[in-house]
Amino acid sequence: MALKNFQFDSIMRDYNRRQMAHKHLLDEHIQHAYQILPQLQELDAEEADASVEYAARMISGDTKAPKQLEQLLSSIDEQRRQLLASAGLPSDYLTLTYDCPLCKDTGFDEQGRKCSCFFKAAADLLYRESNLQEQYAAENFDTFSLDYYNKEEPEPKSGLTPYQLAQKALLTAKEYADEFSRSPGNLLIYGPTGVGKTFLSNCIAKELIESIHSVVHLSAIDFFEQLAAHQFRQEEEELVYDSISQCDLLIIDDLGTEIGNSFVVSSLCQVIDQRLKNKQGTIITTNLELSDLKDRYLDRTFSRMISGYTFLRLAGSDIRFLKVRHSQQQ
């Protein structure tokens, strides 16, 4: 998935800063070396003069010139290393260095393909933009555990045990992440407090960021505050709004915790409509039951969810409480 222009530009500016920092370091090394080893400056001048002289000889057809220049430059280089060693300096002290030798801090290899460090830089940028890097590191598919879900007692609303619901939701979430590049979809993850809704959305977010998709993760309260700031043209919030409207995956967490009003209802419907039309993925988590969602956000919004979203229900006891009790028993 291609980065947005402002994201690509941000990464390339960082590469430019790296190049300038290494160039500045090399200039400092040269200045220092010239001060303590004046002979180095003479060798550099000799090397430059030789390159010009032998280039002219090659142009005039001297077939021996290339080999002779190679030998001369090798001799100069050896003298330079000996001088550096005599001053206790490493042999590469006067060599331009790079954070990434593969692409020489350009982001691209010799064939013009993105370097592996570019993809890492892109993932790091997307993590920073998501504002939840530490949480994604702790909450991902590798750490999602079904052990906290009851296998014996079906919950009344679905007739399935919490374990069966979580197992189904986990499988669907993994498929969602795997298929996202080909077919971005939408999920509504609902159920009582503490049963893993946000955890599951974090699992998906981490997978998508790792595959270089932009993710914006906001609580419902923050989400509607950003929309209100945009409506009232608070320019400092425009970049956040652009991220909301342009990101590959938008996660609205804890829908229903915001103060309800006509602005909230109409804004949610508008965002859902826009992202469905643009085929952008959206995940909504909520403690509300489906009937409560319908009453709170009206038929128009709810009908769009039904037509464009996969519903995942989670149930059971508050996992955070179970973890605390488990740790106390150890």
Side-chain angles (χ1 to χ4, degrees):
M1 178 62 64
L3 294 167
K4 305 298 182 290
N5 287 338
F6 72 90
Q7 294 168 328
F8 180 84
D9 291 343
S10 176
I11 292 173
M12 297 314 296
R13 283 195 298 272
D14 186 58
Y15 275 117
N16 185 60
R17 284 192 290 268
R18 296 186 204 178
Q19 295 170 22
M20 294 300 293
H22 283 285
K23 178 62 168 61
H24 180 68
L25 179 62
L26 177 60
D27 289 340
E28 289 182 343
H29 283 186
I30 292 173
Q31 184 177 6
H32 173 65
Y34 281 179
Q35 287 177 346
I36 64 174
L37 297 168
Q39 306 95 312
L40 282 173
Q41 193 164 2
E42 297 173 4
L43 284 176
D44 287 347
E46 181 182 347
E47 183 178 65
D49 291 341
S51 297
V52 173
E53 176 188 344
Y54 279 88
R57 289 171 57 180
M58 291 180 208
I59 293 173
S60 66
D62 187 343
T63 57
K64 297 180 180 180
K67 184 64 174 179
Q68 292 173 345
L69 177 60
E70 181 183 350
Q71 293 173 344
L72 178 57
L73 294 181
S74 178
S75 173
I76 292 174
D77 195 44
E78 178 59 29
Q79 293 177 64
R80 185 182 290 113
R81 282 197 296 269
Q82 290 177 2
L83 283 172
L84 291 172
S86 70
L89 299 174
S91 59
D92 63 350
Y93 190 70
L94 300 179
T95 302
L96 184 62
T97 58
Y98 308 98
D99 286 349
C100 179
L102 296 176
C103 68
K104 298 182 179 179
D105 294 340
T106 64
F108 297 85
D109 63 18
E110 293 179 353
Q111 286 73 44
R113 297 170 302 195
K114 291 184 177 71
C115 182
S116 58
C117 70
F118 181 95
F119 291 107
K120 182 181 185 304
D124 289 344
L125 171 67
L126 296 173
Y127 270 126
R128 291 195 301 272
E129 289 186 351
S130 73
N131 298 318
L132 291 168
Q133 185 170 2
E134 292 184 4
Q135 193 164 337
Y136 291 157
E139 299 182 358
N140 52 71
F141 285 129
D142 290 334
T143 60
F144 189 96
S145 175
L146 295 171
D147 295 342
Y148 296 100
Y149 296 92
N150 187 295
K151 295 182 179 181
E152 307 299 331
E153 302 174 9
E155 64 104 21
K157 293 185 179 296
S158 66
L160 300 174
T161 65
Y163 181 89
Q164 290 172 321
L165 287 171
Q167 191 176 43
K168 177 184 176 182
L170 179 59
L171 178 61
T172 302
K174 288 181 176 180
E175 291 175 345
Y176 178 92
D178 289 342
E179 295 294 324
F180 191 88
S181 294
R182 293 179 290 275
S183 178
N186 308 284
L187 299 177
L188 175 70
I189 308 174
Y190 69 106
T193 300
V195 293
K197 301 183 299 294
T198 299
F199 196 124
L200 195 60
S201 69
N202 288 341
C203 294
I204 296 171
K206 182 179 186 298
E207 291 296 309
L208 294 189
I209 288 175
E210 293 290 345
S211 58
I212 318 303
H213 292 85
S214 54
V215 177
V216 172
H217 191 151
L218 295 170
S219 70
I221 294 173
D222 289 340
F223 170 71
F224 288 111
E225 284 181 354
Q226 298 298 343
L227 295 185
H230 170 71
Q231 182 177 16
F232 293 105
R233 296 289 186 258
Q234 295 181 16
E235 293 184 2
E236 66 274 13
E237 304 296 342
E238 286 301 292
L239 182 58
V240 177
Y241 178 79
D242 288 343
S243 296
I244 291 173
S245 62
Q246 296 177 25
C247 65
D248 298 318
L249 175 65
L250 171 65
I251 300 176
I252 306 173
D253 202 24
D254 274 342
L255 185 68
T257 55
E258 76 288 346
I259 297 175
N261 53 47
S262 59
F263 169 77
V264 165
V265 173
S266 62
S267 296
L268 179 63
C269 185
Q270 181 180 357
V271 169
I272 289 175
D273 270 346
Q274 179 185 12
R275 294 187 66 82
L276 284 172
K277 179 180 178 181
N278 295 338
K279 296 183 179 179
Q280 298 166 300
T282 307
I283 296 176
I284 297 174
T285 74
T286 181
N287 296 337
L288 300 176
E289 293 297 329
L290 299 183
S291 58
D292 298 323
L293 278 173
K294 183 177 180 181
D295 292 341
R296 185 180 180 97
Y297 300 103
L298 306 182
D299 288 345
R300 182 184 173 199
T301 302
F302 191 70
S303 66
R304 280 157 176 74
M305 289 184 179
I306 291 176
S307 63
Y309 281 64
T310 297
F311 288 20
L312 298 178
R313 177 171 176 77
L314 291 173
S317 303
D318 190 321
I319 293 174
R320 286 164 291 196
F321 173 76
L322 294 177
K323 288 182 177 179
V324 170
R325 187 171 66 183
H326 178 72
S327 64
Q328 290 174 344
Q329 292 173 346
Q330 289 181 332

